Amino acid sequence: MKKRVALILLAVFMMVFGIYRGEMAVVFNKAVNICLECIGIG
Amino acid sequence: MKKLISVLIIMLLALFTVGCIEKVDNKEVTIDENQVESNDVQEQVTDNTKFVSFKGEDMEGNEVTEKIFSENKLTMINIWGTTCPPCINEMPYIEEINNEMKDSGFELIGVVAGGKASKIDAEDIFNKLDLHYRNLLLDDKYLMALKVQYVPTTFFVNSEGEILGEAHIGAISKEEYLEIINGYLEK
Amino acid sequence: MANKRKIIQGITTFVYNFNLKGFFTGEIYTGKLKNACVPGLNCYSCPGAAGSCPIGALQSILGNYKYQFSFYIFGFLMLIGTILGRFVCGYLCPFGLFQELLYKIKSKKFKIKRVFVYTKYFILAIFVIALPLFHTNVIGLGDPAFCKYICPAGTIEAGIPLVLLNKPLQGIVGWLFGWKLFILIVFIIGSVFSFRPFCKLICPLGAIYSLFNKVSVFRYAFDEAKCINCNKCVETCKMDVIPHLNVNDIECIRCGECIEVCPTNALTQIVVLGDGKKNEEIN
């Protein structure tokens, strides 16, 4: 029980920290501007 | 189960068929030079041959509008993204093109996707690559009006603010750029 | 019950891609939802995609010169993994559904040797992690190598629709597109003759979730006392797991078929934060 709860809490903490340091903005930027190389064209 | 598969396949086919038919009706943004003279252009709700009117800033904070096109015979607008490797890879040699051609009434102007939000990263990249051409920070709504979806996308614009030829999607070689530029300058 | 799973897979595919408008305009969705990832493999360049792909997002963060590690994505994967494990593969992945539909086409069927399932960890390590981190360009931007060179889900969901719907793109497709098409075709044909070959051999997302199979809240339980060694579970399992030996094996995608065929209910599905001493049977 403790193992799972700890993992879940750690996971949430990591996500929040990642968002705080700007990672989510990077994901968004990449997801809405198609870089052709990334999808294998050209 | 067979029924499910058939239904799904038919749905997929229907989706694609309808999609293709719709596309034929859509007027494409990119218009040939020849059509500039035709009457059709005036009937369109948006004037597709003219680069969209815009208001934005350059990297020094000066306000820039579509009036910049009148400063040169030919302006190359290179739309790029700070996380797009093909965009970054062509920037050093388009800087070279700018240096070689600016005395011929040509100017290269960069537009970074994401506008002001990308300013710090754009400056960083310009410093790292020792680039000196002008770079603009425009709101993404102008890119949407131009139907720009991919980076890099390059437009060639004359001094009247009209887009020449088609938008170039993807990076091309320095030689290919020079060929296109010289082609337009000769006219 | 197997039909219920297909329905959920279908609904999932639709939910991940509810920007149906994109298939008519040839343009991708650019709304705020793309700040978040969907749990399954769904290319964020798909015109219909309403969320981001976790594997694509991972490569884009690792490839960014500002980061060497992604808390956001690894945290997300850990969260989903701890709750669901490879239940995502069985219920929440469109590309998995696609392969399963192909497998329904009647043909001789082949099994993949167990040893080959480890290639996906190699793909994860090299193409999703190492190459974006280390194969960088002049300003330190890394190659999203898995998306770029391998992912067939991206080819079928994004590459092909975008090229079909956007004439300007048609002129610039090159050898890379041809290579990606080739990979897609290999997996389409492979999926007819073998069950979910991409999931077994290549999928880095499945590789990550598999690490959580043993600890996930949603998992399977085996009661040895009830087992009569009929081996029906082994015969049924299309992922070549031996449920009565290793019920939360890394290859188990939680399709539930072994549970359905077990004549004595020795195999059950449990959803518990604890160790499952008190089983909550769902089925």
Side-chain angles (χ1 to χ4, degrees):
Chain A
M1 158 105 172
K2 281 195 194 146
K3 205 168 41 177
R4 287 181 188 92
V5 172
L7 277 175
I8 291 176
L9 286 176
L10 176 63
V12 173
F13 172 75
M14 282 171 71
M15 285 177 72
V16 170
F17 181 65
I19 295 173
Y20 167 74
R21 66 175 202 154
E23 292 178 27
M24 192 169 78
V26 170
V27 170
F28 182 74
N29 185 31
K30 223 26 190 315
V32 300
N33 292 307
I34 308 174
C35 173
L36 295 166
E37 192 185 57
C38 312
I39 54 172
I41 294 178
Chain B
M1 232 347 99
K2 275 202 177 136
K3 255 197 201 160
L4 184 63
I5 304 175
S6 328
V7 169
L8 280 168
I9 293 180
I10 291 173
M11 271 172 63
L12 269 170
L13 283 173
L15 222 60
F16 271 115
T17 316
V18 178
C20 290
I21 294 174
E22 278 243 25
K23 200 61 178 134
V24 169
D25 288 338
N26 280 353
K27 289 202 167 61
E28 292 201 352
V29 181
T30 54
I31 300 235
D32 267 53
E33 260 180 270
N34 302 325
Q35 272 185 275
V36 175
E37 280 102 46
S38 87
N39 290 325
D40 290 350
V41 175
Q42 278 123 27
E43 284 165 38
Q44 288 167 12
V45 175
T46 51
D47 189 348
N48 287 332
T49 55
K50 262 195 141 50
F51 197 90
V52 68
S53 297
F54 62 86
K55 201 169 12 178
E57 286 180 3
D58 66 13
M59 304 268 267
E60 276 85 47
N62 306 315
E63 190 185 86
V64 180
T65 68
E66 68 278 7
K67 295 204 176 65
I68 50 166
F69 295 126
S70 57
E71 294 172 21
N72 296 290
K73 270 191 353 200
L74 179 70
T75 312
M76 174 171 149
I77 299 283
N78 177 259
I79 301 173
W80 61 286
T82 55
T83 56
C84 161
C87 307
I88 308 284
N89 293 338
E90 69 171 2
M91 282 158 76
Y93 61 77
I94 59 176
E95 157 92 356
E96 285 172 18
I97 293 175
N98 191 42
N99 292 336
E100 287 166 27
M101 302 299 293
K102 60 182 175 197
D103 294 326
S104 315
F106 167 84
E107 188 180 353
L108 161 68
I109 298 184
V111 173
V112 61
K116 290 216 190 87
S118 307
K119 182 173 180 182
I120 299 179
D121 289 338
E123 277 175 349
D124 204 24
I125 293 171
F126 266 59
N127 284 336
K128 278 202 182 119
L129 296 177
D130 199 24
L131 305 174
H132 303 282
Y133 60 87
R134 265 201 285 188
N135 189 52
L136 304 183
L137 308 166
L138 300 183
D139 196 290
D140 273 347
K141 67 179 183 220
Y142 299 115
L143 297 185
M144 283 199 268
L146 285 164
K147 304 244 171 134
V148 171
Q149 274 203 91
Y150 319 103
V151 280
T153 295
T154 305
F155 292 96
F156 290 95
V157 186
N158 65 15
S159 49
E160 268 98 67
E162 289 161 347
I163 300 173
L164 303 172
E166 292 179 349
H168 292 267
I169 300 180
I172 56 177
S173 72
K174 183 178 174 185
E175 290 74 35
E176 285 170 288
Y177 274 126
L178 284 171
E179 221 185 287
I180 298 171
I181 293 168
N182 286 318
Y184 285 132
L185 283 175
E186 272 160 30
K187 295 200 179 132
Chain C
M1 198 232 148
N3 280 337
K4 184 179 88 174
R5 184 170 76 90
K6 278 279 170 307
I7 292 172
I8 296 179
Q9 285 178 299
I11 294 174
T12 300
T13 303
F14 175 71
V15 167
Y16 289 177
N17 294 292
F18 70 67
N19 186 47
L20 292 176
K21 182 174 80 163
F23 289 106
F24 299 113
T25 59
E27 291 170 13
I28 63 171
Y29 168 79
T30 54
K32 291 256 182 281
L33 282 179
K34 277 197 165 158
N35 274 304
C37 296
V38 296
L41 201 71
N42 200 72
C43 187
Y44 51 18
S45 298
C46 171
S52 290
C53 172
I55 294 294
L58 185 57
Q59 289 164 85
S60 66
I61 292 174
L62 293 176
N64 192 292
Y65 49 82
K66 288 191 275 201
Y67 305 104
Q68 277 73 51
F69 182 80
S70 175
F71 287 98
Y72 178 48
I73 302 298
F74 279 125
F76 173 76
L77 293 172
M78 190 187 294
L79 180 68
I80 303 287
T82 305
I83 298 175
L84 299 172
R86 284 189 88 174
F87 173 84
V88 175
C89 304
Y91 282 78
L92 305 175
C93 181
F95 199 63
L97 171 65
F98 178 64
Q99 291 169 83
E100 288 185 16
L101 292 176
L102 288 168
Y103 190 70
K104 290 199 181 298
I105 297 172
K106 290 221 183 309
S107 78
K108 188 164 194 312
K109 305 296 182 188
F110 297 89
K111 283 198 188 288
I112 293 177
K113 276 213 172 80
R114 171 78 181 201
V115 68
F116 291 118
V117 308
Y118 295 101
T119 49
K120 53 181 178 292
Y121 300 96
F122 172 77
I123 302 273
L124 170 66
I126 303 293
F127 288 87
V128 179
I129 299 177
L131 284 176
L133 269 179
F134 302 119
H135 185 237
T136 56
N137 71 358
V138 57
I139 61 155
L141 260 187
D143 224 9
F146 182 76
C147 298
K148 183 174 166 187
Y149 298 113
I150 301 182
C151 190
T155 309
I156 194 173
E157 287 185 317
I160 292 177
L162 286 173
V163 167
L164 283 179
L165 296 169
N166 289 280
K167 210 157 148 280
L169 285 183
Q170 288 161 13
I172 63 167
V173 294
W175 66 268
L176 185 58
F177 192 70
W179 165 248
K180 299 281 293 293
L181 261 183
F182 170 70
I183 294 186
L184 176 64
I185 290 171
V186 164
F187 279 105
I188 289 178
I189 297 177
S191 297
V192 174
F193 294 101
S194 190
F195 187 72
R196 296 180 72 148
F198 177 79
C199 308
K200 289 181 178 163
L201 298 172
I202 306 285
C203 187
L205 191 55
I208 295 174
Y209 288 142
S210 71
L211 303 174
F212 293 92
N213 260 0
K214 291 243 176 323
V215 298
S216 60
V217 172
F218 180 107
R219 62 190 184 281
Y220 289 167
F222 172 63
D223 188 346
E224 186 146 14
K226 293 190 180 156
C227 178
I228 59 171
N229 278 318
C230 65
N231 269 337
K232 279 215 169 71
C233 55
V234 180
E235 283 165 20
T236 304
C237 182
K238 301 215 252 309
M239 296 300 285
D240 306 325
V241 174
I242 302 176
H244 63 75
L245 270 185
N246 191 2
V247 70
N248 287 303
D249 187 81
I250 52 171
E251 284 301 282
C252 175
I253 58 170
R254 278 83 198 265
C255 68
E257 291 186 22
C258 58
I259 292 179
E260 251 182 283
V261 298
C262 177
T264 60
N265 261 352
L267 289 166
T268 52
Q269 185 175 295
I270 59 174
V271 184
V272 283
L273 272 177
D275 287 329
K277 294 261 157 67
K278 270 203 189 128
N279 281 1
E280 293 165 28
E281 282 190 21
I282 306 295
N283 282 303

